[in-house]
Every structure is written in structure tokens, then in C-alpha cells.
Amino acid sequence: WNNITTEHEIIATAYKGNEFYTTTIKFTLQPVESVKTLNEFIGTEGKRIFIQQMATVTYQSGKYLFLKDSSGAIVVYGDGLPTFEPGDLLQNFVAEYTNYNGLHEIIPVASSFKNAKLGNWGAPSPELITIEDVTVANQNKYVKLNGVALNNTAKTIGGVTLYNRFNVDLPEDGKYNVVAIISYYNTSGVTDDPASVQLYPISFEEVPELVPS
């Protein structure tokens, strides 16, 4: 991938009776550098091909595809992506990093994802964390928080901003075990602003109220 830099041309000829028409298209294949982990995408410029490691699909909804590997987690954001299942293993896809108000995203070359699936090792369990782990550094992770309070008026989960990105049905106020994606949307100008961290809820499981015997 790194050495394909020469100029190429395609010559097309059409015949009609004794006449023919010829057109020539010249083009140069641009090199695509490689990254070996999801974390290596961060801060790069231009398209990169993801090789060597395998990225695991944790969750997908519409234009949003969440991946993880041993280095961390990232979101693929764009149109035309195939539909994947949790646990699908992906490799050899091409994407370009972008920083969207502090959120680490990669914009896909959608066609490169069509043959990126290597298999499926089973749906991954969300990482069990506490509310203190909902941080900028953990953005894009697929997580579970047990016994946290949902406040629909304040739009918070455990005091963290709730953004209903996936349009799930929100239950009434109360305590829940929540599966979510940690996200980040920073327009404050403060670097790594903890107040800009968000939770995208995926599911709610009501915590039974303990009744004294």
C-alpha cells in the first residue's frame, strides 16, 4: 500500500464501422499508510489502512459503528457501511481520522468495509465501570453502569449528561443498570473538559427496590 505511487492510464477505444474513438484517462494512485491499532488513528492526517490487529464490533446504530481493540475504542461515522453484528472481527479497512469537538472519529471508505469481516467471536460484554470511570479518556467505550440514577428532567445518568443518540425509549426516573456508550462533545474551549462527557444509553434494567422484611 505504501509503494503504489506511479502514474497510470486507461485507454478506451470504441469502434463503429470503419471509425473508432479513443479516450485516455490518466491517474495516480495515492499511497495509504497503515495503522496497527485503533489508537494509532488518533491525530493522523489522510486515509489509513487498519492492519495486523483485529477490531471488534461492540455496537452499531445507523451511521455509528463502535469498535474496540487492545489499544482502546473508536467510532466509525459515515454512510454506506455494511450491517455488522456485535463480536464481528474487522481488519484491512480504510478510514480517515477526524476530531469532532473532541470526539475521536474515523470517517470510513465504506467500500473497504465490505470485505473487512474476518469472523465473529461472540458478542462482547460491556465493560463494567463506575460513574467515576465516565471520562474523556474512555470515550467511545461500550460500558455498563449498575445502580445509577436516571433523571429525565435534568437529562442525566448518574449526574452525567444523557444524550439519546440512538433514540431508545427512556424509562421514568429511578435507579437502573445502564448499558451505554461514553461520548464527548466539547464546545467549551476547555481541554479535556469533564463536563462535556456524555452517555449514549443503549438499554435500561430496573434495579429492584429493596423492601424491608
Side-chain angles (χ1 to χ4, degrees), residues 119-155:
N120 185 296
W121 282 358
S125 298
E127 182 179 344
L128 184 60
I129 65 170
T130 65
I131 205 68
E132 288 76 20
D133 299 314
V134 181
T135 62
V136 180
N138 286 329
Q139 62 175 274
N140 293 316
K141 285 189 175 183
Y142 174 62
V143 300
K144 183 176 183 180
L145 298 122
N146 286 339
V148 289
L150 168 65
N151 186 321
N152 284 288
T153 302
K155 293 184 171 58

PDB file of all heavy atoms in Angstrom, residues 119-155:
ATOM      1  N   GLY A 119     -14.627 -12.769  10.826  1.00  0.00           N
ATOM      2  CA  GLY A 119     -15.367 -13.770  11.574  1.00  0.00           C
ATOM      3  C   GLY A 119     -16.072 -13.118  12.740  1.00  0.00           C
ATOM      4  O   GLY A 119     -16.182 -11.890  12.812  1.00  0.00           O
ATOM      5  N   ASN A 120     -16.550 -13.944  13.660  1.00  0.00           N
ATOM      6  CA  ASN A 120     -17.245 -13.446  14.843  1.00  0.00           C
ATOM      7  C   ASN A 120     -16.914 -14.341  16.017  1.00  0.00           C
ATOM      8  O   ASN A 120     -17.050 -15.562  15.930  1.00  0.00           O
ATOM      9  CB  ASN A 120     -18.755 -13.412  14.607  1.00  0.00           C
ATOM     10  CG  ASN A 120     -19.516 -12.780  15.754  1.00  0.00           C
ATOM     11  OD1 ASN A 120     -19.518 -13.287  16.873  1.00  0.00           O
ATOM     12  ND2 ASN A 120     -20.151 -11.654  15.496  1.00  0.00           N
ATOM     13  N   TRP A 121     -16.450 -13.712  17.109  1.00  0.00           N
ATOM     14  CA  TRP A 121     -16.070 -14.468  18.299  1.00  0.00           C
ATOM     15  C   TRP A 121     -17.113 -14.362  19.402  1.00  0.00           C
ATOM     16  O   TRP A 121     -16.835 -14.634  20.554  1.00  0.00           O
ATOM     17  CB  TRP A 121     -14.710 -13.988  18.812  1.00  0.00           C
ATOM     18  CG  TRP A 121     -13.557 -14.526  18.012  1.00  0.00           C
ATOM     19  CD1 TRP A 121     -13.613 -15.379  16.963  1.00  0.00           C
ATOM     20  CD2 TRP A 121     -12.177 -14.243  18.228  1.00  0.00           C
ATOM     21  NE1 TRP A 121     -12.365 -15.645  16.490  1.00  0.00           N
ATOM     22  CE2 TRP A 121     -11.456 -14.980  17.232  1.00  0.00           C
ATOM     23  CE3 TRP A 121     -11.467 -13.454  19.126  1.00  0.00           C
ATOM     24  CZ2 TRP A 121     -10.071 -14.940  17.138  1.00  0.00           C
ATOM     25  CZ3 TRP A 121     -10.087 -13.414  19.033  1.00  0.00           C
ATOM     26  CH2 TRP A 121      -9.399 -14.144  18.058  1.00  0.00           C
ATOM     27  N   GLY A 122     -18.309 -13.926  19.061  1.00  0.00           N
ATOM     28  CA  GLY A 122     -19.355 -13.782  20.056  1.00  0.00           C
ATOM     29  C   GLY A 122     -19.457 -12.352  20.548  1.00  0.00           C
ATOM     30  O   GLY A 122     -18.460 -11.628  20.644  1.00  0.00           O
ATOM     31  N   ALA A 123     -20.672 -11.956  20.855  1.00  0.00           N
ATOM     32  CA  ALA A 123     -20.912 -10.576  21.286  1.00  0.00           C
ATOM     33  C   ALA A 123     -20.129 -10.252  22.552  1.00  0.00           C
ATOM     34  O   ALA A 123     -20.184 -10.998  23.533  1.00  0.00           O
ATOM     35  CB  ALA A 123     -22.400 -10.359  21.520  1.00  0.00           C
ATOM     36  N   PRO A 124     -19.390  -9.151  22.559  1.00  0.00           N
ATOM     37  CA  PRO A 124     -18.642  -8.778  23.757  1.00  0.00           C
ATOM     38  C   PRO A 124     -19.560  -8.246  24.844  1.00  0.00           C
ATOM     39  O   PRO A 124     -20.585  -7.620  24.554  1.00  0.00           O
ATOM     40  CB  PRO A 124     -17.701  -7.684  23.261  1.00  0.00           C
ATOM     41  CG  PRO A 124     -18.445  -7.057  22.122  1.00  0.00           C
ATOM     42  CD  PRO A 124     -19.217  -8.173  21.470  1.00  0.00           C
ATOM     43  N   SER A 125     -19.207  -8.499  26.086  1.00  0.00           N
ATOM     44  CA  SER A 125     -19.945  -7.918  27.208  1.00  0.00           C
ATOM     45  C   SER A 125     -19.496  -6.477  27.404  1.00  0.00           C
ATOM     46  O   SER A 125     -18.325  -6.147  27.198  1.00  0.00           O
ATOM     47  CB  SER A 125     -19.684  -8.710  28.495  1.00  0.00           C
ATOM     48  OG  SER A 125     -20.140 -10.041  28.364  1.00  0.00           O
ATOM     49  N   PRO A 126     -20.408  -5.597  27.784  1.00  0.00           N
ATOM     50  CA  PRO A 126     -19.980  -4.227  28.081  1.00  0.00           C
ATOM     51  C   PRO A 126     -19.040  -4.219  29.271  1.00  0.00           C
ATOM     52  O   PRO A 126     -19.145  -5.056  30.177  1.00  0.00           O
ATOM     53  CB  PRO A 126     -21.296  -3.506  28.396  1.00  0.00           C
ATOM     54  CG  PRO A 126     -22.254  -4.588  28.784  1.00  0.00           C
ATOM     55  CD  PRO A 126     -21.850  -5.797  28.009  1.00  0.00           C
ATOM     56  N   GLU A 127     -18.116  -3.299  29.260  1.00  0.00           N
ATOM     57  CA  GLU A 127     -17.157  -3.176  30.359  1.00  0.00           C
ATOM     58  C   GLU A 127     -17.874  -2.606  31.589  1.00  0.00           C
ATOM     59  O   GLU A 127     -18.470  -1.532  31.515  1.00  0.00           O
ATOM     60  CB  GLU A 127     -16.008  -2.259  29.942  1.00  0.00           C
ATOM     61  CG  GLU A 127     -14.934  -2.089  30.991  1.00  0.00           C
ATOM     62  CD  GLU A 127     -13.804  -1.184  30.536  1.00  0.00           C
ATOM     63  OE1 GLU A 127     -13.690  -0.933  29.315  1.00  0.00           O
ATOM     64  OE2 GLU A 127     -13.035  -0.715  31.398  1.00  0.00           O
ATOM     65  N   LEU A 128     -17.816  -3.309  32.696  1.00  0.00           N
ATOM     66  CA  LEU A 128     -18.470  -2.853  33.923  1.00  0.00           C
ATOM     67  C   LEU A 128     -17.615  -1.778  34.576  1.00  0.00           C
ATOM     68  O   LEU A 128     -16.456  -2.018  34.928  1.00  0.00           O
ATOM     69  CB  LEU A 128     -18.685  -4.021  34.877  1.00  0.00           C
ATOM     70  CG  LEU A 128     -19.450  -3.719  36.168  1.00  0.00           C
ATOM     71  CD1 LEU A 128     -20.852  -3.202  35.866  1.00  0.00           C
ATOM     72  CD2 LEU A 128     -19.506  -4.961  37.056  1.00  0.00           C
ATOM     73  N   ILE A 129     -18.194  -0.592  34.740  1.00  0.00           N
ATOM     74  CA  ILE A 129     -17.459   0.535  35.306  1.00  0.00           C
ATOM     75  C   ILE A 129     -18.309   1.230  36.363  1.00  0.00           C
ATOM     76  O   ILE A 129     -19.483   0.900  36.548  1.00  0.00           O
ATOM     77  CB  ILE A 129     -17.053   1.551  34.212  1.00  0.00           C
ATOM     78  CG1 ILE A 129     -18.316   2.183  33.589  1.00  0.00           C
ATOM     79  CG2 ILE A 129     -16.186   0.899  33.141  1.00  0.00           C
ATOM     80  CD1 ILE A 129     -18.031   3.363  32.681  1.00  0.00           C
ATOM     81  N   THR A 130     -17.720   2.211  37.020  1.00  0.00           N
ATOM     82  CA  THR A 130     -18.462   3.088  37.930  1.00  0.00           C
ATOM     83  C   THR A 130     -18.578   4.461  37.275  1.00  0.00           C
ATOM     84  O   THR A 130     -17.916   4.748  36.264  1.00  0.00           O
ATOM     85  CB  THR A 130     -17.747   3.229  39.279  1.00  0.00           C
ATOM     86  OG1 THR A 130     -16.485   3.897  39.068  1.00  0.00           O
ATOM     87  CG2 THR A 130     -17.497   1.862  39.904  1.00  0.00           C
ATOM     88  N   ILE A 131     -19.385   5.311  37.856  1.00  0.00           N
ATOM     89  CA  ILE A 131     -19.612   6.628  37.271  1.00  0.00           C
ATOM     90  C   ILE A 131     -18.313   7.436  37.212  1.00  0.00           C
ATOM     91  O   ILE A 131     -18.137   8.302  36.339  1.00  0.00           O
ATOM     92  CB  ILE A 131     -20.733   7.379  38.043  1.00  0.00           C
ATOM     93  CG1 ILE A 131     -21.398   8.424  37.129  1.00  0.00           C
ATOM     94  CG2 ILE A 131     -20.210   7.981  39.325  1.00  0.00           C
ATOM     95  CD1 ILE A 131     -22.198   7.848  35.997  1.00  0.00           C
ATOM     96  N   GLU A 132     -17.372   7.140  38.110  1.00  0.00           N
ATOM     97  CA  GLU A 132     -16.087   7.848  38.114  1.00  0.00           C
ATOM     98  C   GLU A 132     -15.251   7.511  36.877  1.00  0.00           C
ATOM     99  O   GLU A 132     -14.317   8.239  36.529  1.00  0.00           O
ATOM    100  CB  GLU A 132     -15.286   7.518  39.372  1.00  0.00           C
ATOM    101  CG  GLU A 132     -15.824   8.146  40.655  1.00  0.00           C
ATOM    102  CD  GLU A 132     -17.073   7.432  41.183  1.00  0.00           C
ATOM    103  OE1 GLU A 132     -17.295   6.259  40.790  1.00  0.00           O
ATOM    104  OE2 GLU A 132     -17.816   8.052  41.971  1.00  0.00           O
ATOM    105  N   ASP A 133     -15.584   6.399  36.213  1.00  0.00           N
ATOM    106  CA  ASP A 133     -14.838   5.993  35.017  1.00  0.00           C
ATOM    107  C   ASP A 133     -15.396   6.603  33.730  1.00  0.00           C
ATOM    108  O   ASP A 133     -14.853   6.367  32.647  1.00  0.00           O
ATOM    109  CB  ASP A 133     -14.859   4.471  34.879  1.00  0.00           C
ATOM    110  CG  ASP A 133     -14.212   3.764  36.052  1.00  0.00           C
ATOM    111  OD1 ASP A 133     -13.104   4.189  36.456  1.00  0.00           O
ATOM    112  OD2 ASP A 133     -14.812   2.804  36.576  1.00  0.00           O
ATOM    113  N   VAL A 134     -16.466   7.360  33.851  1.00  0.00           N
ATOM    114  CA  VAL A 134     -17.052   8.012  32.677  1.00  0.00           C
ATOM    115  C   VAL A 134     -16.245   9.284  32.423  1.00  0.00           C
ATOM    116  O   VAL A 134     -16.572  10.370  32.901  1.00  0.00           O
ATOM    117  CB  VAL A 134     -18.545   8.316  32.890  1.00  0.00           C
ATOM    118  CG1 VAL A 134     -19.138   8.966  31.637  1.00  0.00           C
ATOM    119  CG2 VAL A 134     -19.303   7.043  33.224  1.00  0.00           C
ATOM    120  N   THR A 135     -15.168   9.131  31.664  1.00  0.00           N
ATOM    121  CA  THR A 135     -14.189  10.206  31.477  1.00  0.00           C
ATOM    122  C   THR A 135     -13.895  10.414  29.995  1.00  0.00           C
ATOM    123  O   THR A 135     -14.254   9.587  29.138  1.00  0.00           O
ATOM    124  CB  THR A 135     -12.873   9.869  32.188  1.00  0.00           C
ATOM    125  OG1 THR A 135     -12.317   8.677  31.599  1.00  0.00           O
ATOM    126  CG2 THR A 135     -13.086   9.651  33.686  1.00  0.00           C
ATOM    127  N   VAL A 136     -13.204  11.512  29.713  1.00  0.00           N
ATOM    128  CA  VAL A 136     -12.787  11.813  28.344  1.00  0.00           C
ATOM    129  C   VAL A 136     -11.931  10.688  27.790  1.00  0.00           C
ATOM    130  O   VAL A 136     -12.074  10.274  26.633  1.00  0.00           O
ATOM    131  CB  VAL A 136     -12.008  13.144  28.297  1.00  0.00           C
ATOM    132  CG1 VAL A 136     -11.568  13.443  26.868  1.00  0.00           C
ATOM    133  CG2 VAL A 136     -12.840  14.284  28.852  1.00  0.00           C
ATOM    134  N   ALA A 137     -11.034  10.174  28.619  1.00  0.00           N
ATOM    135  CA  ALA A 137     -10.102   9.137  28.169  1.00  0.00           C
ATOM    136  C   ALA A 137     -10.810   7.853  27.762  1.00  0.00           C
ATOM    137  O   ALA A 137     -10.267   7.070  26.974  1.00  0.00           O
ATOM    138  CB  ALA A 137      -9.082   8.848  29.276  1.00  0.00           C
ATOM    139  N   ASN A 138     -12.007   7.632  28.286  1.00  0.00           N
ATOM    140  CA  ASN A 138     -12.742   6.396  27.995  1.00  0.00           C
ATOM    141  C   ASN A 138     -13.812   6.576  26.919  1.00  0.00           C
ATOM    142  O   ASN A 138     -14.694   5.721  26.765  1.00  0.00           O
ATOM    143  CB  ASN A 138     -13.375   5.851  29.271  1.00  0.00           C
ATOM    144  CG  ASN A 138     -12.350   5.216  30.182  1.00  0.00           C
ATOM    145  OD1 ASN A 138     -11.344   4.666  29.711  1.00  0.00           O
ATOM    146  ND2 ASN A 138     -12.579   5.276  31.490  1.00  0.00           N
ATOM    147  N   GLN A 139     -13.723   7.661  26.177  1.00  0.00           N
ATOM    148  CA  GLN A 139     -14.734   7.921  25.147  1.00  0.00           C
ATOM    149  C   GLN A 139     -14.785   6.777  24.134  1.00  0.00           C
ATOM    150  O   GLN A 139     -13.793   6.121  23.833  1.00  0.00           O
ATOM    151  CB  GLN A 139     -14.451   9.242  24.433  1.00  0.00           C
ATOM    152  CG  GLN A 139     -13.134   9.303  23.692  1.00  0.00           C
ATOM    153  CD  GLN A 139     -12.995  10.601  22.902  1.00  0.00           C
ATOM    154  OE1 GLN A 139     -13.458  10.696  21.765  1.00  0.00           O
ATOM    155  NE2 GLN A 139     -12.357  11.600  23.501  1.00  0.00           N
ATOM    156  N   ASN A 140     -15.989   6.542  23.637  1.00  0.00           N
ATOM    157  CA  ASN A 140     -16.314   5.519  22.635  1.00  0.00           C
ATOM    158  C   ASN A 140     -16.334   4.093  23.194  1.00  0.00           C
ATOM    159  O   ASN A 140     -16.558   3.145  22.434  1.00  0.00           O
ATOM    160  CB  ASN A 140     -15.366   5.581  21.429  1.00  0.00           C
ATOM    161  CG  ASN A 140     -15.556   6.847  20.623  1.00  0.00           C
ATOM    162  OD1 ASN A 140     -16.682   7.253  20.363  1.00  0.00           O
ATOM    163  ND2 ASN A 140     -14.464   7.476  20.237  1.00  0.00           N
ATOM    164  N   LYS A 141     -16.152   3.933  24.494  1.00  0.00           N
ATOM    165  CA  LYS A 141     -16.212   2.597  25.081  1.00  0.00           C
ATOM    166  C   LYS A 141     -17.663   2.160  25.303  1.00  0.00           C
ATOM    167  O   LYS A 141     -18.547   2.968  25.590  1.00  0.00           O
ATOM    168  CB  LYS A 141     -15.457   2.545  26.410  1.00  0.00           C
ATOM    169  CG  LYS A 141     -13.942   2.524  26.245  1.00  0.00           C
ATOM    170  CD  LYS A 141     -13.231   2.255  27.568  1.00  0.00           C
ATOM    171  CE  LYS A 141     -11.730   2.102  27.381  1.00  0.00           C
ATOM    172  NZ  LYS A 141     -11.038   1.779  28.646  1.00  0.00           N
ATOM    173  N   TYR A 142     -17.856   0.879  25.181  1.00  0.00           N
ATOM    174  CA  TYR A 142     -19.145   0.207  25.386  1.00  0.00           C
ATOM    175  C   TYR A 142     -19.154  -0.281  26.825  1.00  0.00           C
ATOM    176  O   TYR A 142     -18.363  -1.153  27.200  1.00  0.00           O
ATOM    177  CB  TYR A 142     -19.238  -0.934  24.388  1.00  0.00           C
ATOM    178  CG  TYR A 142     -20.417  -1.868  24.492  1.00  0.00           C
ATOM    179  CD1 TYR A 142     -21.720  -1.423  24.336  1.00  0.00           C
ATOM    180  CD2 TYR A 142     -20.205  -3.234  24.696  1.00  0.00           C
ATOM    181  CE1 TYR A 142     -22.791  -2.309  24.389  1.00  0.00           C
ATOM    182  CE2 TYR A 142     -21.263  -4.130  24.742  1.00  0.00           C
ATOM    183  CZ  TYR A 142     -22.551  -3.666  24.587  1.00  0.00           C
ATOM    184  OH  TYR A 142     -23.598  -4.543  24.636  1.00  0.00           O
ATOM    185  N   VAL A 143     -20.026   0.294  27.668  1.00  0.00           N
ATOM    186  CA  VAL A 143     -19.893   0.100  29.114  1.00  0.00           C
ATOM    187  C   VAL A 143     -21.236  -0.229  29.765  1.00  0.00           C
ATOM    188  O   VAL A 143     -22.307  -0.057  29.172  1.00  0.00           O
ATOM    189  CB  VAL A 143     -19.302   1.365  29.790  1.00  0.00           C
ATOM    190  CG1 VAL A 143     -17.916   1.680  29.236  1.00  0.00           C
ATOM    191  CG2 VAL A 143     -20.243   2.562  29.617  1.00  0.00           C
ATOM    192  N   LYS A 144     -21.132  -0.667  31.024  1.00  0.00           N
ATOM    193  CA  LYS A 144     -22.314  -0.893  31.845  1.00  0.00           C
ATOM    194  C   LYS A 144     -22.096  -0.256  33.207  1.00  0.00           C
ATOM    195  O   LYS A 144     -21.028  -0.390  33.810  1.00  0.00           O
ATOM    196  CB  LYS A 144     -22.585  -2.393  32.019  1.00  0.00           C
ATOM    197  CG  LYS A 144     -23.863  -2.691  32.810  1.00  0.00           C
ATOM    198  CD  LYS A 144     -24.149  -4.191  32.882  1.00  0.00           C
ATOM    199  CE  LYS A 144     -25.466  -4.462  33.606  1.00  0.00           C
ATOM    200  NZ  LYS A 144     -25.769  -5.916  33.681  1.00  0.00           N
ATOM    201  N   LEU A 145     -23.112   0.459  33.673  1.00  0.00           N
ATOM    202  CA  LEU A 145     -23.098   1.088  34.992  1.00  0.00           C
ATOM    203  C   LEU A 145     -24.267   0.533  35.786  1.00  0.00           C
ATOM    204  O   LEU A 145     -25.410   0.582  35.330  1.00  0.00           O
ATOM    205  CB  LEU A 145     -23.231   2.605  34.868  1.00  0.00           C
ATOM    206  CG  LEU A 145     -22.105   3.306  34.110  1.00  0.00           C
ATOM    207  CD1 LEU A 145     -22.662   4.063  32.932  1.00  0.00           C
ATOM    208  CD2 LEU A 145     -21.330   4.238  35.018  1.00  0.00           C
ATOM    209  N   ASN A 146     -23.984   0.030  36.961  1.00  0.00           N
ATOM    210  CA  ASN A 146     -25.036  -0.559  37.795  1.00  0.00           C
ATOM    211  C   ASN A 146     -25.530   0.417  38.856  1.00  0.00           C
ATOM    212  O   ASN A 146     -24.734   1.134  39.481  1.00  0.00           O
ATOM    213  CB  ASN A 146     -24.518  -1.825  38.489  1.00  0.00           C
ATOM    214  CG  ASN A 146     -24.406  -3.001  37.524  1.00  0.00           C
ATOM    215  OD1 ASN A 146     -25.041  -3.018  36.471  1.00  0.00           O
ATOM    216  ND2 ASN A 146     -23.609  -3.996  37.878  1.00  0.00           N
ATOM    217  N   GLY A 147     -26.852   0.443  39.021  1.00  0.00           N
ATOM    218  CA  GLY A 147     -27.449   1.207  40.110  1.00  0.00           C
ATOM    219  C   GLY A 147     -27.275   2.703  40.015  1.00  0.00           C
ATOM    220  O   GLY A 147     -27.083   3.377  41.028  1.00  0.00           O
ATOM    221  N   VAL A 148     -27.365   3.245  38.790  1.00  0.00           N
ATOM    222  CA  VAL A 148     -27.214   4.693  38.614  1.00  0.00           C
ATOM    223  C   VAL A 148     -28.586   5.336  38.421  1.00  0.00           C
ATOM    224  O   VAL A 148     -29.521   4.713  37.907  1.00  0.00           O
ATOM    225  CB  VAL A 148     -26.287   5.039  37.432  1.00  0.00           C
ATOM    226  CG1 VAL A 148     -24.855   4.691  37.779  1.00  0.00           C
ATOM    227  CG2 VAL A 148     -26.716   4.326  36.164  1.00  0.00           C
ATOM    228  N   ALA A 149     -28.687   6.591  38.813  1.00  0.00           N
ATOM    229  CA  ALA A 149     -29.970   7.294  38.793  1.00  0.00           C
ATOM    230  C   ALA A 149     -30.206   7.968  37.450  1.00  0.00           C
ATOM    231  O   ALA A 149     -29.347   8.700  36.944  1.00  0.00           O
ATOM    232  CB  ALA A 149     -30.012   8.331  39.904  1.00  0.00           C
ATOM    233  N   LEU A 150     -31.382   7.724  36.879  1.00  0.00           N
ATOM    234  CA  LEU A 150     -31.822   8.425  35.676  1.00  0.00           C
ATOM    235  C   LEU A 150     -32.693   9.599  36.081  1.00  0.00           C
ATOM    236  O   LEU A 150     -33.652   9.442  36.841  1.00  0.00           O
ATOM    237  CB  LEU A 150     -32.626   7.479  34.777  1.00  0.00           C
ATOM    238  CG  LEU A 150     -33.392   8.126  33.619  1.00  0.00           C
ATOM    239  CD1 LEU A 150     -32.434   8.744  32.605  1.00  0.00           C
ATOM    240  CD2 LEU A 150     -34.308   7.117  32.943  1.00  0.00           C
ATOM    241  N   ASN A 151     -32.350  10.788  35.574  1.00  0.00           N
ATOM    242  CA  ASN A 151     -33.132  11.992  35.829  1.00  0.00           C
ATOM    243  C   ASN A 151     -33.524  12.587  34.485  1.00  0.00           C
ATOM    244  O   ASN A 151     -32.697  13.194  33.792  1.00  0.00           O
ATOM    245  CB  ASN A 151     -32.309  12.995  36.655  1.00  0.00           C
ATOM    246  CG  ASN A 151     -33.124  14.206  37.088  1.00  0.00           C
ATOM    247  OD1 ASN A 151     -33.947  14.720  36.329  1.00  0.00           O
ATOM    248  ND2 ASN A 151     -32.892  14.672  38.309  1.00  0.00           N
ATOM    249  N   ASN A 152     -34.775  12.390  34.099  1.00  0.00           N
ATOM    250  CA  ASN A 152     -35.217  12.849  32.794  1.00  0.00           C
ATOM    251  C   ASN A 152     -35.308  14.363  32.698  1.00  0.00           C
ATOM    252  O   ASN A 152     -35.111  14.934  31.621  1.00  0.00           O
ATOM    253  CB  ASN A 152     -36.571  12.223  32.456  1.00  0.00           C
ATOM    254  CG  ASN A 152     -36.458  10.772  32.041  1.00  0.00           C
ATOM    255  OD1 ASN A 152     -35.978  10.466  30.967  1.00  0.00           O
ATOM    256  ND2 ASN A 152     -36.884   9.863  32.918  1.00  0.00           N
ATOM    257  N   THR A 153     -35.622  15.009  33.822  1.00  0.00           N
ATOM    258  CA  THR A 153     -35.723  16.469  33.807  1.00  0.00           C
ATOM    259  C   THR A 153     -34.365  17.102  33.571  1.00  0.00           C
ATOM    260  O   THR A 153     -34.209  17.994  32.729  1.00  0.00           O
ATOM    261  CB  THR A 153     -36.315  16.978  35.129  1.00  0.00           C
ATOM    262  OG1 THR A 153     -37.600  16.384  35.329  1.00  0.00           O
ATOM    263  CG2 THR A 153     -36.453  18.493  35.106  1.00  0.00           C
ATOM    264  N   ALA A 154     -33.365  16.619  34.297  1.00  0.00           N
ATOM    265  CA  ALA A 154     -32.004  17.145  34.166  1.00  0.00           C
ATOM    266  C   ALA A 154     -31.275  16.540  32.970  1.00  0.00           C
ATOM    267  O   ALA A 154     -30.203  17.022  32.595  1.00  0.00           O
ATOM    268  CB  ALA A 154     -31.218  16.885  35.442  1.00  0.00           C
ATOM    269  N   LYS A 155     -31.852  15.455  32.398  1.00  0.00           N
ATOM    270  CA  LYS A 155     -31.213  14.710  31.312  1.00  0.00           C
ATOM    271  C   LYS A 155     -29.827  14.220  31.723  1.00  0.00           C
ATOM    272  O   LYS A 155     -28.816  14.492  31.064  1.00  0.00           O
ATOM    273  CB  LYS A 155     -31.138  15.558  30.035  1.00  0.00           C
ATOM    274  CG  LYS A 155     -32.498  15.853  29.406  1.00  0.00           C
ATOM    275  CD  LYS A 155     -32.356  16.600  28.103  1.00  0.00           C
ATOM    276  CE  LYS A 155     -33.685  16.715  27.354  1.00  0.00           C
ATOM    277  NZ  LYS A 155     -34.732  17.397  28.141  1.00  0.00           N
TER     278      LYS A 155
END
